[in-house]
């Protein structure tokens, strides 16, 4: 069984910073792409940032220059450093990972339970 567990959400003032973590555990053979998504009330879930196993990153335009995605392939952990936070960044943030549980099984998508980020004064 594979689990993704996010942590690091909370309440922060506009202009502040937070660091989210996503730890993958369980029967893991390999992890390829990983990403952070977010969903605000009334909105669809959107991709915020993604990172390949080799460290290539992509960001949605609204967070470029403010957020940084990274991963530790030894610890099977992904991070999202969020800075210059704005009220519109308020959402539940979910981590996603494409994981293979053995060499002969195809990868599957796994999701964390979500961590809430609230940006408000």
């Amino acid at each position: 069984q594979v689990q993704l567990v996010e942590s690091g959400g909370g309440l922060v003032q506009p202009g502040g910073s937070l660091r989210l973590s996503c730890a993958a555990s369980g029967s893991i053979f390999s992890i390829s792409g990983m990403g952070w998504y977010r969903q605000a009330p009334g909105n669809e879930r959107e991709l915020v940032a993604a990172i390949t196993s080799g460290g290539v990153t992509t960001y949605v335009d609204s967070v470029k220059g403010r957020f940084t995605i990274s991963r530790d392939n030894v610890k099977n952990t992904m991070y999202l450093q969020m800075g210059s936070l704005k009220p519109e960044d308020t959402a539940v943030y979910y981590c996603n990972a494409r994981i293979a549980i053995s060499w002969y099984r195809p990868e599957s998508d796994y999701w964390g339970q979500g961590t809430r980020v609230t940006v408000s004064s």
Side-chain angles (χ1 to χ4, degrees):
Q1 190 75 7
V2 173
Q3 273 193 314
L4 297 182
V5 178
E6 300 109 332
S7 60
L11 173 64
V12 63
Q13 291 187 341
S17 300
L18 279 177
R19 188 194 196 206
L20 306 184
S21 298
C22 171
S25 63
S27 179
I28 296 171
F29 175 74
S30 65
I31 304 176
S32 58
M34 302 183 78
W36 288 98
Y37 290 73
R38 66 186 179 187
Q39 187 167 21
N43 290 359
E44 294 186 352
R45 190 174 297 190
E46 67 168 348
L47 176 63
V48 176
I51 185 168
T52 68
S53 57
V56 178
T57 59
T58 58
Y59 299 91
V60 68
D61 285 347
S62 61
V63 307
K64 284 180 181 177
R66 300 189 298 120
F67 291 10
T68 301
I69 189 172
S70 61
R71 62 190 282 177
D72 183 328
N73 291 332
V74 174
K75 296 181 179 179
N76 287 338
T77 301
M78 175 178 62
Y79 306 95
L80 186 68
Q81 181 67 48
M82 305 186 294
S84 301
L85 283 161
K86 304 175 181 180
E88 51 263 44
D89 294 317
T90 295
V92 178
Y93 285 70
Y94 298 90
C95 70
N96 168 267
R98 292 195 60 78
I99 297 173
I101 61 173
S102 65
W103 66 269
Y104 56 88
R105 297 283 295 272
E107 292 177 332
S108 296
D109 267 328
Y110 291 87
W111 292 88
Q113 81 287 353
T115 186
R116 185 174 300 276
V117 172
T118 302
V119 184
S120 174
S121 55

